[in-house]
């Protein structure tokens, strides 16, 4: 399966809506799209993961790179609408402690 990426660029708020699978094959495309958004001074980047059915460690690496970029550029990264399976991946790796995840919009009972 592929990864579909849609970016809504509204001044300082960038919303990235993802659907499909984030793996070794699709992660480079995500990184190529996401990192430049986090490199805009004081940008707020929200990543909607509701449509993501699968993610592996390569995908986690992209979000870690994006988080590091936000620190450099004084921007902000928030992940929203994760299904339980994807949220669990962030949880077991400890990334829920360092990445801003809106859990109230986490999709329960996901894939």
């Amino acid at each position: 399966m592929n990864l579909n990426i849609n970016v809504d660029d509204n001044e300082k708020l960038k919303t990235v809506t993802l659907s499909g699978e984030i793996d070794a094959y699709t992660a480079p495309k995500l990184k190529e799209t996401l990192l430049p958004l986090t490199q805009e001074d004081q940008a707020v980047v929200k990543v909607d993961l509701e449509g993501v059915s699968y993610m592996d460690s390569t995908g986690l690496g992209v979000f870690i790179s994006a988080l590091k970029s936000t620190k450099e550029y004084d921007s902000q990264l928030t992940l929203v609408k994760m299904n339980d399976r994807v949220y669990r991946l962030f949880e077991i790796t400890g990334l829920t402690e360092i990445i801003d995840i809106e859990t109230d919009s986490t999709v329960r009972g996901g894939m």
Side-chain angles (χ1 to χ4, degrees):
M1 183 176 215
N2 287 327
L3 177 66
N4 296 313
I5 304 171
N6 183 38
V7 178
D8 182 15
D9 189 342
N10 185 5
E11 298 284 325
K12 291 291 183 185
L13 175 62
K14 289 47 168 107
T15 304
V16 181
T17 305
L18 305 175
S19 63
E21 297 180 354
I22 305 172
D23 56 21
Y25 177 74
T26 60
K29 177 181 170 186
L30 175 58
K31 188 172 186 176
E32 181 180 295
T33 303
L34 186 58
L35 257 53
L37 298 175
T38 63
Q39 293 170 352
E40 293 183 30
D41 188 44
Q42 297 183 350
V44 175
V45 181
K46 287 197 174 223
V47 182
D48 181 336
L49 295 159
E50 184 173 14
V52 174
S53 57
Y54 173 82
M55 183 184 314
D56 67 11
S57 61
T58 315
L60 291 176
V62 171
F63 290 110
I64 292 168
S65 295
L67 181 64
K68 288 179 182 177
S69 176
T70 64
K71 305 281 186 224
E72 284 182 52
Y73 293 91
D74 195 29
S75 57
Q76 179 183 339
L77 175 68
T78 304
L79 307 181
V80 300
K81 298 183 182 177
M82 256 182 225
N83 68 47
D84 283 343
R85 180 184 293 170
V86 173
Y87 182 80
R88 180 83 177 121
L89 187 59
F90 280 84
E91 190 174 45
I92 63 175
T93 56
L95 293 174
T96 54
E97 301 299 317
I98 61 170
I99 295 179
D100 186 18
I101 299 173
E102 288 186 8
T103 54
D104 58 344
S105 59
T106 300
V107 178
R108 293 295 166 206
M111 317 259 151

